[in-house]
Amino acid sequence: MRHATALRTALSALLVVGAWTAVGPATASAAPVDSATSAPSAAELPASAALLSAMQRDLGLTEAQARTRLAEEKAATALEPKAQRAAGAAYGGSWFDAKTGKLTVAVTDAGKAAAVRAAGAQTRIVEHSAAKLDATMKRIDALSAPKGVASWRVDPETSRVVVNVVASKQGDNDVQAFVAKARKAGPVTVERTAEAPQTFAAGTVGGDPYYTGNVRCSIGFSVHGGFVTAGHCGRAGQQVRGWDNSYIGNFQGSSFPGDDYAWVNVGSGWWTVPVVLGWGTVPDQLVRGSNEAPIGASICRSGSTTRWHCGRVLAKNETVNYSQGAVHQMTKTSVCAQGGDSGGSFISGDQAQGVTSGGWGNCSSGGETWYQPVNEILNRYGLRLHTA
């Protein structure tokens, strides 16, 4: 019987990244929360020692600052949908401002700013609405991007779509042609990035969470009947084996490129639990929901290779141009990752955020990592997050 190992292996990449009180219903498709947006005191906010330690290490905070940040981010996460409704068609995006500890909402109409401030957010007047920027993204998504173009995203702070070009490739004719077409699509700014992104799957290494063929990846989050993970880790129908090489289930759905998500059914003595495991080094934590953290919020990731690292949400709605093809609507973070971490959990407090897709750099020198938002995966396959 594998009952003794299931909590470590059946969903052993449900990776521990701390806890704070849930701000909404357990299922991912829940309606926006309209609860009070004032932050609880840092003393009232439960957080594991491991989470606080990781935030101190990776974000340069003291323990008291980490506790305060978690409280402020919880309030900002609850406020974001309410502030967006207050802005209406003038909504230009939003982000968490770590300096003030508040949510900032971009608006194109100064007349809407008062209503947004009344909801509890700070405001900034910008030129373009989120709807216009999203439309620009769709036009650029329709283009064929060369390898020298790393990604493109909506940036609410500058009210532009930012196209990231690999620095060593910025002079290539194909890259310059793509940038010229992108500029015609709408308000675009071009920035340079050090490296091209790549996925974080890895070859077989004994004793790690799950395998398909000769690829090792990490489990994301439990859903009723299985778990979610990255699409580039396997195709629909492929078998999945656990760390002990026993059969877990099969990929029931998988999409990559275009998207990077998949789900695997669980059976044969394995079962799902609403837990992010600590790998024997940090306490296990319960998963309580999937309320989406704003840009600027702290976030943590753990995977079968590098375990646990923290950083910030840098951008949302970013298209990442892997060598295999572009993946849309990704979230970019300052968290590092390495081969084998693909599919693993991104969590903000006790709220599931997404599954690790790819990035550049490593956990020795640093880098950036993208994740596929978990709510999109749940909605695509009609899954229900397993929550405590």
Side-chain angles (χ1 to χ4, degrees), residues 179-348:
V179 169
K181 292 178 181 178
R183 291 188 187 279
K184 293 180 181 179
V188 165
T189 297
V190 178
E191 295 182 358
R192 293 183 297 176
T193 186
E195 300 179 34
Q198 60 183 346
T199 57
F200 283 130
T204 300
V205 178
D208 284 294
Y210 87 85
Y211 307 91
T212 176
N214 67 342
V215 171
R216 169 171 60 87
C217 282
S218 301
I219 297 168
F221 294 97
S222 285
V223 296
H224 288 273
F227 64 83
V228 295
T229 187
H232 70 263
C233 292
R235 297 185 301 274
Q238 283 190 288
Q239 289 191 357
V240 172
R241 309 185 312 277
W243 69 277
D244 60 354
N245 207 39
S246 65
Y247 172 71
I248 296 177
N250 294 74
F251 279 87
Q252 299 299 302
S254 178
S255 180
F256 179 80
D259 308 294
D260 193 8
Y261 50 60
W263 83 280
V264 176
N265 70 314
V266 165
S268 303
W270 300 74
W271 68 89
T272 66
V273 289
V275 170
V276 174
L277 296 182
W279 304 94
T281 59
V282 296
D284 296 349
Q285 297 289 338
L286 298 175
V287 177
R288 298 189 180 276
S290 58
N291 291 309
E292 186 177 337
I295 294 172
S298 61
I299 194 167
C300 297
R301 179 205 57 77
S302 196
S304 61
T305 299
T306 59
R307 303 300 193 260
W308 181 333
H309 289 272
C310 297
R312 295 186 303 111
V313 177
L314 298 178
K316 296 183 181 181
N317 191 20
E318 183 152 8
T319 297
V320 181
N321 191 34
Y322 295 128
S323 61
Q324 301 95 327
V327 177
H328 309 296
Q329 296 179 325
M330 301 269 272
T331 298
K332 181 165 69 175
T333 75
S334 63
V335 188
C336 67
Q338 295 176 199
D341 287 328
S342 280
S345 313
F346 265 92
I347 273 193
S348 181

Side-chain angles (χ1 to χ4, degrees), residues 41-287:
S41 70
E44 294 172 341
L45 194 68
S48 72
L51 171 61
L52 296 172
S53 176
M55 293 180 69
Q56 291 174 71
R57 178 194 66 198
D58 296 336
L59 298 175
L61 304 174
T62 65
E63 180 178 343
Q65 288 172 333
R67 289 185 180 276
T68 298
R69 176 76 65 86
L70 288 172
E72 292 169 342
E73 289 172 355
K74 178 187 176 182
T77 298
L79 171 61
E80 191 170 33
K82 183 178 180 180
Q84 181 174 352
R85 289 195 296 273
Y91 180 71
S94 57
W95 61 94
F96 175 76
D97 187 337
K99 293 182 179 179
T100 63
K102 294 183 178 296
L103 183 74
T104 299
V105 176
V107 291
T108 58
D109 180 357
K112 289 288 187 179
V116 174
R117 287 194 294 269
Q122 300 176 144
T123 58
R124 179 184 296 180
I125 305 300
V126 295
E127 185 177 359
H128 305 293
S129 68
K132 181 174 181 178
L133 296 176
D134 288 344
T136 301
M137 279 289 296
K138 289 182 179 179
R139 287 190 283 271
I140 299 176
D141 283 344
L143 302 176
S144 178
K147 292 182 178 180
V149 177
S151 64
W152 50 97
R153 72 181 191 275
V154 168
D155 180 12
E157 291 194 59
T158 61
S159 196
R160 295 287 189 275
V161 171
V162 177
V163 175
N164 291 294
V165 174
V166 178
S168 61
K169 302 292 185 181
Q170 61 182 333
D172 288 0
N173 291 336
D174 289 345
V175 171
Q176 291 181 349
F178 178 88
V179 169
K181 292 178 181 178
R183 291 188 187 279
K184 293 180 181 179
V188 165
T189 297
V190 178
E191 295 182 358
R192 293 183 297 176
T193 186
E195 300 179 34
Q198 60 183 346
T199 57
F200 283 130
T204 300
V205 178
D208 284 294
Y210 87 85
Y211 307 91
T212 176
N214 67 342
V215 171
R216 169 171 60 87
C217 282
S218 301
I219 297 168
F221 294 97
S222 285
V223 296
H224 288 273
F227 64 83
V228 295
T229 187
H232 70 263
C233 292
R235 297 185 301 274
Q238 283 190 288
Q239 289 191 357
V240 172
R241 309 185 312 277
W243 69 277
D244 60 354
N245 207 39
S246 65
Y247 172 71
I248 296 177
N250 294 74
F251 279 87
Q252 299 299 302
S254 178
S255 180
F256 179 80
D259 308 294
D260 193 8
Y261 50 60
W263 83 280
V264 176
N265 70 314
V266 165
S268 303
W270 300 74
W271 68 89
T272 66
V273 289
V275 170
V276 174
L277 296 182
W279 304 94
T281 59
V282 296
D284 296 349
Q285 297 289 338
L286 298 175
V287 177

